[in-house]
Every structure is written in C-alpha cells, then in structure tokens.
Amino acid sequence: MAQVMSTDFLTHNLSTLLTTGLTIILVVLFSLRRKNDSSKKLTHPPGPSGIPVLGNLLTVAFSKLPQHELINGWSKKYGDVFWFKIFGTGVVIINDKEVMQKTFQNTDVCDRAPFFASDYVLGRENNGIAFANGGSWKEQRKFFVSIFRKVDIGVSRLEDIVGGQVKNIVTQVKNLKGEKFDPAIMVNMSIANIITRIITGVTYDWEDKAFQDIVAYSGKLFDISGPAGLFSLNPVFARLPLPVNFEIRRLCRTIMDFIQVSIDEHRKNFDPNAPVKDFIGSYLKEMASADANNLKSFDDTNMIVSCFDALLGGWETVASTLRWTIYLLSKHPEAQGRMRQEIHDLVGDERFPTIADRQYLPLVEATIAECMRFIPAVPIHLPHVTSQDCNIGGFDVPKGSAVAANLLHFAKSPMFWEDPEVFRPERFLDDAGNFMRGLEPVPFGYGKRQCPGELLARMEMFIFTTFLVQNFELKLPAGIKDDLQGVLGLTWRPNHYFIEGHPTNANEE
Ligand code: HEM
C-alpha cells in the first residue's frame, strides 16, 4: 500500500512537475514570440521617404519653399502626426492640439537635444535652461521662472524698463514728422536693451559698437541655426566640420564673452546684503546660498548659459513678433483705427497706457492676438527629445527622436479658424466684447517646457503696440509691395520694410 501510495505520489508529482515545466516553457516561448511580433508590429508615424543616411536633409535644407511651408505641405499629406528624418534622427511634427497637450505633459517627451556649439565653447554638456535636461534643468528653470514671472526685477518695475524704451521710440518717430523709416533698428535695439537691462543691469547706448555687434550676432545666430534649430540641434549635423557650424560656435563664444564681462563686473562689486537690480545679481545671491538650500546646479557655467538663454530667447522672438505686428497694423488701417479709438476712449491722450489698463482694452488685446496668430514668429518651436520609446498620437516613436508642435498649423489651419487668411481681430472677442485668451493658438508652447518669458513678452507687446498706435497713424508708404515672405531661422522674421508714423497729437506735452 505504502509502495502504491509512494508510486502514485511520485507519478503525480512527476506529472505535475512535467505539466508545470511544460507550461513555463510554453509561456516563455509565447511571450518571446509576442515580443518578436510586437517589435515587428511597431507603427511608426507616416512621412516622406528619404535617402539613405541623409534622410530628408537635402529636401529640408534646399527646399524652394520656405521650410515652414514645406512642413505644412507634408502636414496636409501625412496628417496629425508625421515624421521626417535627418541623419537617422526622426523629427516628429504634431498637428493635433489634443495630441500636443498630452505629449508635452509626458515626462518622456520633455528633454532637449544638446546645443553642441555652446557645449563645445564651454567644454561641458547640460547647461542653462533651453538645452538642459534632468535635475539641473529643473533647478535652473525654477529660478529663471521665479525672476521672469514677476512684474519687477529687484527694485525696478519691468513696466518702467519697457516703457522707457518705447517713449524713446515715440520721440524719435515724432521727430521724423511722417517721413518713412525702417522700424527694424528701433525695435531690435530697444528689445535688446530691455533684456540686457534685465540681465546685466545696463541700458546701452544705441551707438555703442559692442552692443550693436551683439544685436547683429544674435540675429545671425537665429538665422543660420535652421528652422526650429533642426540643423544646429541635430546630433550628427552639428558636429560636422562645416563653415556654418564654425560660425555658430564663433557667435556663441562672442555673445558669451559679452555676458562674461558683465558677470565679472558684478562679482567685483557683489554685496550679498545689497538689494539686487538684475538677473546676474539675483543669480550671484542664489549661488551664495545654494549650499545651504541644497541646490546643486548653481555654478559659473549655468549662470552664463542662463543669461545666454534669456538674451537669445527674449530678444529675436519679441523683436520679430513686434515687427510683424507693426507691419500688419500698417496694412490694416481700419483695425488699427478701431484699436486707437478704444485707447483714446479709455486712456485719452494725456498719458501713456499702462499694464493696469490692459484688462479694460479687449479690442487691443484681440488685435495683438490676431497679429500673433496671423504670423506666428515661432512657427515651429525648438524640438523636444524623447528620453524613452513612447507613443505619440497612436504611433511608436523611438527614444532619441525630436518632437515639435506645428504652431503655424494651429494658427492658420481652416480646421481651427474660419477664414484663416482674413485679418479679423474680432474673432477673439465674445458676444459681450470680452477678450477670449483661451482661443489663442499656443504661441508660447505648452506643458513642461512652455515659454518662461511669456509675461515679459506680453508686456512688451502691449506697451509697444499701444504707445505707437496711441501716438501715430502707422501707414505703409504708397506703392509698397505686400511682403509676407520673411526669413525663417529659429524665428520667422519679416524682411525689411518702411512705414510712416503720422502723429495723432497724443502726449504732445
Ligand atoms: C513673443 C515672444 C516669445 C515667443 C513667441 C516665445 C515662444 C517660445 C516657445 C514656443 C518656446 C518653446 C516651448 C516648448 O519647447 O515647448 C519657448 C521657450 C523658451 N523661451 Fe520663449 N518666447 C517668447 C519670448 C521669450 C522671452 C521674452 C524670454 C526670456 C525672458 C523667453 C525665454 C525662453 C526660454 C528660456 C525657453 C526655453 C524653456 C525651456 O526649455 O524650459 N522667451 N518660447
């Protein structure tokens, strides 16, 4: 009996063992097969076919169309999410708002490619904000936001800094007595002066040669970096020994040297107990207490690159937006007239408008929003980079791909706007005449990388536009050919044009 039991037990256990073993083998085989199947079944985004190694580089670089139009053409053909390739790196373009919102909230689509030229100059990777990742980016961005989301910098109000520059322009245009002029120099110099004042504490003379050079170098850096920085941020292209890459490095170095002079000056006179008056002063103060606050990334290199990011991010973007705005207002005198009427009704002509007036000037807000929609100065933003394989809008996107939203599509597609090619500020007003900010086509991006300079940029747009429209009837000289072509680099900026500013007799005192 015992023998039978033990044989039964053995037989039973043996068969259990065999069944279990067989099951495990089958499960492993099945999951291996599924794994192989799933890697076969990856669904990458659609897109134009390219050539080996270069991908679509030649098409993007040498397109007869401006690159944002080329990308928009591909959008029409390939839909909400598509990609093209440059040296094997996929560049995913998102045309759908919900997919964009979901994607840019995802921490796996939050990184950026290194800006090789600046890292090369500094001999270190992962610096500053715009091209940094991980813990260092988080700390540096938090500090940057704490400075730029306030209405004052140390003891000075941002509104006074901006207003001072625009009053200077108003005086200069008045002196021209209706003569035509190119607004580019005035706009570029004053926007540059606002951001350098915030960063370095210095307001430069427009005749200052070093300042003029830096303004020119910054513009050039934007132009030669390619649309959305697609070339200067491509890990292969950026390292090629091409003249354009040497030039980008030279420009970075020169701009950083300019910032370094100011940092050295601040260091010499640094007093941790004195009130701060600019970004560098605030940064030095933060550095002095960084150890106590357990902040790891506050050092000399991050300081210079944070200043560099603010100078470049806060300069060409605003200047291009403003130059387009002045052009569009001159081209649409009726919209400009309605805006002027609202300013005169609320503010009168004895004083300049203030930021506090903004909430009572919905048509002004709507007109600025329509200018920014009609021509977005940032049509495709700096791409994010995927830090993991991930899914974007139903497509499998490998780790290391670039991902950008097509802001031009959000601004101009008939999917989002009635008569997108018609300039109509009232589209941003509700029936009661209130401004509807929520309708704007995300000009400052969305999610974790959203532009940290938005408050300053909006302030600059409001003050420049209202001061000019209150004081001048802006007109395109007779016979000027319409030109909405512009130049595309990191931003989309207008070609040079002339306007006339005929005084409306406001603020004559
Ligand atoms: C009209 C003017 C401006 C426009 C249209 C604009 C637009 C944008 C956009 C679309 C992004 C990318 C968002 C993303 O990657 O998801 C961005 C990022 C950035 N902007 Fe602006 N911007 C403007 C003004 C400014 C100003 C005034 C500053 C500086 C004070 C600034 C500093 C930056 C920085 C540092 C980043 C990188 C943020 C990060 O990577 O975390 N921008 N901006």
Side-chain angles (χ1 to χ4, degrees):
M1 177 79 167
Q3 183 67 33
V4 173
M5 263 187 71
S6 110
T7 315
D8 274 1
F9 183 69
L10 205 71
T11 317
H12 174 75
N13 274 343
L14 204 66
S15 71
T16 311
L17 213 68
L18 277 173
T19 317
T20 313
L22 209 64
T23 313
I24 290 173
I25 290 169
L26 283 175
V27 168
V28 170
L29 283 176
F30 184 65
S31 51
L32 276 178
R33 200 171 147 213
R34 276 195 54 179
K35 207 173 161 207
N36 284 341
D37 279 350
S38 71
S39 65
K40 268 189 222 138
K41 273 197 204 134
L42 282 184
T43 314
H44 292 307
S49 53
I51 56 173
V53 185
L54 298 184
N56 305 98
L57 174 70
L58 299 179
T59 317
V60 176
F62 300 111
S63 160
K64 282 199 189 115
L65 289 172
Q67 282 102 349
H68 52 279
E69 282 182 26
L70 172 78
I71 289 173
N72 245 5
W74 281 338
S75 301
K76 283 183 195 134
K77 190 161 176 197
Y78 298 109
D80 288 346
V81 177
F82 73 94
W83 73 357
F84 55 93
K85 293 212 172 154
I86 295 185
F87 283 123
T89 301
V91 181
V92 179
I93 301 289
I94 304 179
N95 290 315
D96 180 272
K97 267 196 187 161
E98 267 177 41
V99 175
M100 186 267 292
Q101 288 172 345
K102 205 168 152 205
T103 304
F104 291 151
Q105 286 295 357
N106 180 352
T107 41
D108 294 343
V109 196
C110 192
D111 277 5
R112 271 234 232 248
F115 183 22
F116 177 70
S118 127
D119 296 350
Y120 178 88
V121 169
L122 294 159
R124 188 179 98 173
E125 283 187 9
N126 206 26
N127 309 306
I129 300 132
F131 305 101
N133 298 318
S136 177
W137 165 68
K138 274 192 195 144
E139 271 186 15
Q140 294 301 311
R141 182 176 160 110
K142 193 167 169 207
F143 175 72
F144 193 93
V145 166
S146 77
I147 302 286
F148 279 97
R149 293 238 168 110
K150 285 203 305 234
V151 292
D152 42 35
I153 175 93
V155 288
S156 307
R157 292 169 71 227
L158 285 185
E159 183 170 2
D160 294 339
I161 296 174
V162 178
Q165 288 298 317
V166 195
K167 282 179 192 163
N168 182 16
I169 291 188
V170 169
T171 309
Q172 293 199 31
V173 178
K174 274 193 178 148
N175 290 341
L176 289 171
K177 298 193 184 328
E179 280 287 308
K180 70 173 183 183
F181 66 99
D182 177 352
I185 296 175
M186 288 182 189
V187 169
N188 289 348
M189 288 305 202
S190 39
I191 294 296
N193 239 337
I194 291 166
I195 196 75
T196 47
R197 162 64 189 83
I198 295 171
I199 299 295
T200 66
V202 178
T203 304
Y204 293 87
D205 192 311
W206 288 11
E207 304 304 317
D208 184 318
K209 178 77 174 70
F211 181 58
Q212 283 178 352
D213 285 349
I214 289 301
V215 176
Y217 293 158
S218 144
K220 189 163 182 205
L221 188 54
F222 265 64
D223 286 352
I224 64 177
S225 289
L230 285 181
F231 305 142
S232 57
L233 295 181
N234 181 279
V236 179
F237 189 94
R239 286 170 172 80
L240 293 176
L242 298 172
V244 65
N245 287 334
F246 293 125
E247 182 62 357
I248 291 179
R249 279 174 232 169
R250 185 185 75 83
L251 293 169
C252 284
R253 191 186 302 273
T254 317
I255 296 170
M256 283 179 188
D257 286 349
F258 174 84
I259 299 168
Q260 189 62 53
V261 171
S262 181
I263 292 179
D264 292 344
E265 198 62 34
H266 277 71
R267 264 232 165 83
K268 250 193 282 166
N269 307 314
F270 181 61
D271 171 1
N273 300 315
V276 292
K277 64 183 183 98
D278 51 45
F279 184 86
I280 295 177
S282 307
Y283 201 102
L284 286 172
K285 216 167 181 171
E286 193 75 12
M287 262 171 106
S289 58
D291 280 348
N293 296 332
N294 204 17
L295 296 170
K296 303 200 168 38
S297 65
F298 282 77
D299 59 23
D300 287 6
T301 310
N302 272 324
M303 172 160 52
I304 198 165
V305 182
S306 294
C307 295
F308 180 86
D309 289 352
L311 282 180
L312 292 186
W315 191 323
E316 204 33 65
T317 47
V318 184
S320 296
T321 306
L322 254 172
R323 285 173 56 204
W324 280 121
T325 298
I326 294 171
Y327 182 81
L328 290 169
L329 291 175
S330 310
K331 195 168 159 300
H332 297 281
E334 24 8 271
Q336 187 194 142
R338 291 198 295 281
M339 189 178 169
R340 181 175 304 106
Q341 191 61 51
E342 189 180 61
I343 298 171
H344 283 183
D345 288 350
L346 184 92
V347 179
D349 55 11
E350 300 281 304
R351 67 169 177 90
F352 288 107
T354 64
I355 284 294
D357 297 322
R358 201 163 116 185
Q359 58 182 311
Y360 306 111
L361 296 169
L363 187 60
V364 167
E365 288 263 63
T367 312
I368 294 172
E370 179 66 345
C371 291
M372 291 176 76
R373 179 198 74 82
F374 203 80
I375 302 194
V378 181
I380 295 162
H381 63 72
L382 279 181
H384 297 203
V385 167
T386 51
S387 51
Q388 301 292 335
D389 292 349
C390 54
N391 190 288
I392 297 182
F395 296 107
D396 297 298
V397 174
K399 178 179 170 179
S401 306
V403 184
N406 187 351
L407 302 182
L408 179 64
H409 177 80
F410 296 151
K412 295 301 275 276
S413 168
M415 283 166 67
F416 304 115
W417 307 98
E418 201 184 306
D419 306 329
E421 293 304 331
V422 176
F423 184 83
R424 189 189 296 142
E426 286 74 10
R427 67 173 85 239
F428 286 102
L429 296 178
D430 67 14
D431 290 345
N434 300 310
F435 175 57
M436 298 188 285
R437 186 173 303 289
L439 282 190
E440 282 183 289
V442 286
F444 295 94
Y446 185 87
K448 298 187 186 301
R449 288 269 178 182
Q450 186 172 340
C451 178
E454 180 172 348
L455 181 134
L456 172 64
R458 287 197 187 274
M459 186 185 281
E460 292 177 303
M461 289 302 297
F462 177 83
I463 291 183
F464 265 80
T465 313
T466 54
F467 280 27
L468 287 179
V469 170
Q470 180 197 40
N471 285 277
F472 305 102
E473 216 182 310
L474 303 169
K475 279 188 178 167
L476 291 175
I480 290 277
K481 219 173 97 214
D482 195 16
D483 181 5
L484 296 175
Q485 192 71 20
V487 179
L488 189 75
L490 279 177
T491 52
W492 182 12
R493 65 158 122 141
N495 290 319
H496 285 272
Y497 63 85
F498 285 99
I499 51 160
E500 297 164 359
H502 298 276
T504 58
N505 298 324
N507 295 299
E508 273 305 61
E509 83 282 11

